[in-house]
Amino acid sequence: MADECCGPRDSHPAPDADSGMEQDHGPARLWDVRELRLAAVATVLLGAGLVIPGRVGTGVQLTAAVVGAATFVPGALRNVLRRRIGVGTLMTIAAIGAVALGQITEAAMLGVLFSIAEGLEHYAIARTRRGLRALLGLVPPTASVLRDGAEIQVAPDDLVLGDRMVLRPGGRAATDGVIRAGRTSLDLSAITGESVPVEAGPGDRVHAGAINGGGAIEVEVTARASDSSLARIVHIVEEAQDRKGGGQRLADRIARPLVPAIMGLAVIIAAVGAVAGDPLVWVERALVVLVAASPCALAISIPLTVVAAVGAASRHGALVKGGAALEELGRVGVVALDKTGTLTRNAPRVVDVVAVGEATRADVLAAAAALEARSEHPLARAILDAADSVPAAADVTAVPGHGLRGRVDGTALRLGKPGWVPAGELANDVERLERAGATVVLIERADTLLGAIAVRDDLRDETPEVISRLNAMGIRTAMLTGDNIRTATALAAQAGISTVHAELLPEDKANLLAGLRDGRKIAMVGDGVNDAPALATADVGIAMGAMGTDVAIETADVALMGEDLRHLPQVLAHARHARTVMLQNVGLSLAIIGVLIPLAAFGVLGLATVVLVHESAEVLVILNAIRAAKTTALPGVTTTSPATPPILAVSIAGKSDDTGCCDAC
């Protein structure tokens, strides 16, 4: 906010010059909050002043008013000098006016209650922001590196590409790398929210912050510490802090002009009332209106909910990019899912090879592997693993959506889907294999069919459960895939999906989304690579298994860092809950303002009552916003402990400026 709605502007620490991240994330205990300490002192003084008779008691009450007002008056005066007004300005005018009119007790109550509300908000924000400290703790202070035949300790920032890190059992990776020696199991729970260790060996990737749970390994550094997967997430978090949802923008549009309008209304009430009756009575009512119409609860209603909800989403291993993504996610009614790597395990394997004529199984696999050695297609790895030999191929080119061309020993080869490569005498075999849920590719040598290879990527074990849960939530599902219609239909039937669109190019998936919406918000779930156009086109793009995948994290609005698909219904249900809380907070805030203004203007409620109701409403909004952090774990899904939050609890935990609040005022 532009004013002291949320505590003094200098109460939040400056970012660390090197890391770009805050090193102090606010009070760990309620008593550490400055506003709450001053409110406690003011409360004691007010109580004593009410007991002590005469001028001494009045003086003690006045001291209580000064102590309570110390949390917002100095900042409000500084902002007035900068020609900026806000809620703190309204409260300052009301407090000074109450003292001038002799309502010392009411002025003290205003200071106490306003300070309590702001202190609770400050604490709620800080509690969520402390997840960033957990992120910083994932990177060890030193890393063991092999240089010149000796093992030395260096700071993570001193690591260079090509360094060999030695990671012993229990140690954390200081940056991203690839295992070059040793086998182990990696604990990624702090990153992805999944507690099941991942087996890893030579050639496998290691992400910054991963814990080595097995034997000692040597990891070749592939990214500087400042460019690691963790650093990339922090960068995204910083950018996402400025992204607002529609609800927050609505609150801003209402609250921003409301402050000067309230001041104008108060002046009119005082002026008109002075002509019609007792000037002092109407000045007092004008001051009460200033407090009654203060939009602080409205201003914090959305940002604080977003802070709590996005931080809590991290316990699902989900990176949600700000309020806009959270709100859209809460409105999703249709989910389109890619097949490979999303609904399936992304571990394809060759299940059958059919050769033609004198060709053998080895001949078919070798010819296919020669072309696939230059391919990045998910099926390539399965064929290469099954082949006994991989001949050198030349002039290999990809035909998008169809297959590959190339030459081996001067002989032309073509590998691709049935239809692009004629199935010929293998047509019945192709149909049989596809109906069994396999993807079939045909290999042709010198324009003569050599054989067919069936590759199957089995459904994830949790896929049917996930689809069932989405259906129970009233969310319609659809499968989008580039695979053939028979294979897609077979897998969709196993998953429980009735709407299937197959044989699609990446751009076809994006074009289909408009027709699938049916007037509702649609989310696209994919791997973020081949699905990038669809992720960008959908109302909400959700990248699956996104840890370490640049394009997935950059393109998607929501990134599920792990591989457990059950996190999808979790984060959708959580977003719906958060959106409900947002709407409740906005409605309550507007209702309080709408009721209090006329009652204050006509003298039905005095300053003390209005202060109590107004600040109680603000506390209620804060407490309700914190409810957005409540999550319910689905059966069989492991979430990280709130006491040791995953890195994603950095949560875009920011608000829109450095006060830790919002800019609505």
Side-chain angles (χ1 to χ4, degrees):
M1 292 175 71
D3 204 349
E4 299 307 320
C5 173
C6 301
R9 183 173 286 271
D10 58 3
S11 64
H12 296 272
D16 179 83
D18 297 324
S19 69
M21 295 178 289
E22 292 181 348
Q23 299 300 305
D24 180 6
H25 300 282
R29 300 172 303 173
L30 280 171
W31 185 247
D32 295 330
V33 182
R34 172 178 174 269
E35 293 92 340
L36 295 180
R37 291 201 303 269
L38 289 176
V41 173
T43 300
V44 172
L45 291 172
L46 177 58
L50 292 174
V51 174
I52 300 173
R55 293 184 177 180
V56 176
T58 301
V60 174
Q61 291 183 49
L62 182 59
T63 304
V66 171
V67 172
T71 64
F72 59 90
V73 171
L77 294 178
R78 286 195 300 269
N79 281 318
V80 168
L81 294 177
R82 299 172 188 158
R83 298 183 180 180
R84 302 170 71 184
I85 61 173
V87 173
T89 310
L90 301 183
M91 294 300 181
T92 298
I93 294 172
I96 294 174
V99 171
L101 293 174
Q103 297 187 8
I104 311 298
T105 302
E106 288 79 0
M109 286 182 59
L110 187 152
V112 167
L113 293 174
F114 189 64
S115 296
I116 290 174
E118 301 314 301
L120 289 175
E121 183 199 348
H122 184 187
Y123 176 75
I125 293 171
R127 189 178 72 170
T128 305
R129 283 188 169 179
R130 281 196 296 275
L132 189 55
R133 185 172 298 160
L135 169 59
L136 298 176
L138 291 181
V139 178
T142 60
S144 297
V145 182
L146 296 175
R147 289 182 182 172
D148 300 324
E151 183 176 335
I152 61 173
Q153 299 290 318
V154 301
D157 289 340
D158 294 332
L159 291 170
V160 297
L161 299 184
D163 268 343
R164 285 286 185 103
M165 291 189 298
V166 178
L167 201 58
R168 291 185 171 80
R172 287 186 184 270
T175 188
D176 298 343
V178 175
I179 298 176
R180 294 307 181 199
R183 301 195 67 84
T184 187
S185 60
L186 297 175
D187 180 357
L188 304 177
S189 60
I191 302 171
T192 66
E194 298 172 359
S195 62
V196 179
V198 177
E199 298 298 320
D204 290 330
R205 299 178 66 180
V206 176
H207 299 296
I211 301 175
N212 181 12
I217 56 175
E218 293 182 15
V219 180
E220 180 182 340
V221 173
T222 58
R224 292 180 57 84
S226 58
D227 299 325
S228 71
S229 49
L230 294 187
R232 198 164 59 245
I233 290 174
V234 172
H235 175 67
I236 292 172
V237 166
E238 291 172 343
E239 287 186 340
Q241 289 179 353
D242 293 329
R243 302 185 184 185
K244 297 182 180 181
Q248 184 171 342
R249 288 190 292 267
L250 173 62
D252 287 353
R253 287 197 299 269
I254 295 172
R256 195 185 306 278
L258 195 56
V259 174
I262 292 166
M263 297 182 71
L265 176 62
V267 170
I268 293 173
I269 290 174
V272 173
V275 174
D278 187 343
L280 290 179
V281 171
W282 287 96
V283 168
E284 178 184 340
R285 291 182 181 179
L287 294 176
V288 178
V289 168
L290 285 180
V291 176
S294 173
C296 196
L298 175 64
I300 68 173
S301 58
I302 301 300
L304 190 55
T305 305
V306 170
V307 169
V310 177
S314 67
R315 293 199 290 275
H316 305 314
L319 173 60
V320 182
K321 293 184 180 179
L326 183 69
E327 288 188 53
E328 290 293 273
L329 194 63
R331 300 167 64 191
V332 164
V334 181
V335 172
L337 302 105
D338 177 48
K339 177 179 75 68
T340 304
T342 302
L343 295 171
T344 62
R345 296 176 179 173
N346 201 23
R349 57 190 175 89
V350 173
V351 295
D352 200 357
V353 178
V354 182
V356 175
E358 297 181 358
T360 65
R361 170 189 171 93
D363 293 336
V364 175
L365 287 172
L371 298 180
E372 293 286 25
R374 305 288 186 88
S375 172
E376 295 182 356
H377 192 278
L379 301 184
R381 185 75 264 160
I383 293 175
L384 289 169
D385 289 343
D388 295 326
S389 62
V390 183
D395 303 326
V396 178
T397 58
V399 181
H402 298 290
L404 299 167
R405 296 178 184 273
R407 308 181 72 83
V408 173
D409 296 330
T411 302
L413 293 177
R414 190 164 62 138
L415 172 74
K417 62 172 57 178
W420 187 61
V421 176
E425 61 188 274
L426 297 182
N428 291 335
D429 291 293
V430 168
E431 182 177 353
R432 170 180 59 83
L433 293 169
E434 288 181 343
R435 290 193 183 281
T439 298
V440 179
V441 292
L442 299 171
I443 181 72
E444 189 180 71
R445 182 167 59 192
D447 296 327
T448 301
L449 185 64
L450 193 64
I453 302 174
V455 180
R456 185 162 59 219
D457 188 7
D458 294 325
L459 280 180
R460 297 176 185 273
D461 293 337
E462 70 271 18
T463 295
E465 174 191 346
V466 169
I467 300 304
S468 175
R469 290 188 181 279
L470 292 176
N471 290 337
M473 294 169 64
I475 296 176
R476 187 161 56 86
T477 57
M479 176 193 289
L480 306 184
T481 179
D483 213 338
N484 68 84
I485 186 63
R486 282 193 289 263
T487 299
T489 302
L491 288 174
Q494 295 177 36
I497 299 175
S498 57
T499 303
V500 180
H501 296 273
E503 301 179 14
L504 303 173
L505 298 175
E507 56 269 26
D508 295 332
K509 295 180 183 179
N511 295 334
L512 263 174
L513 294 180
L516 291 173
R517 279 189 176 93
D518 193 26
R520 295 188 285 180
K521 295 291 182 180
I522 187 169
M524 175 68 197
V525 186
D527 60 14
V529 182
N530 296 327
D531 305 308
L535 290 176
T537 303
D539 296 305
V540 182
I542 303 175
M544 178 74 185
M547 189 62 196
T549 308
D550 291 333
V551 66
I553 295 178
E554 294 295 336
T555 305
D557 301 298
V558 179
L560 302 180
M561 310 308 281
E563 296 287 345
D564 193 331
L565 190 58
R566 286 173 292 189
H567 290 160
L568 175 61
Q570 273 190 316
V571 76
L572 285 167
H574 179 61
R576 286 187 172 187
H577 171 63
R579 184 169 179 270
T580 299
V581 172
M582 291 180 193
L583 296 176
Q584 289 172 346
N585 278 348
V586 171
L588 175 63
S589 302
L590 291 175
I592 291 296
I593 292 174
V595 171
L596 288 184
I597 287 179
L599 295 178
F602 291 102
V604 177
L605 298 179
L607 181 59
T609 305
V610 167
V611 167
L612 181 61
V613 173
H614 183 275
E615 299 310 323
S616 297
E618 187 175 347
V619 171
L620 186 58
V621 164
I622 293 170
L623 296 177
N624 194 44
I626 293 174
R627 282 200 318 115
K630 182 179 180 182
T631 58
T632 302
L634 295 179
V637 180
T638 301
T639 57
T640 54
S641 168
T644 54
I647 61 164
L648 302 181
V650 291
S651 83
I652 307 159
K655 308 242 280 294
S656 17
D657 73 10
D658 59 352
T659 63
C661 185
C662 54
D663 60 1
C665 300

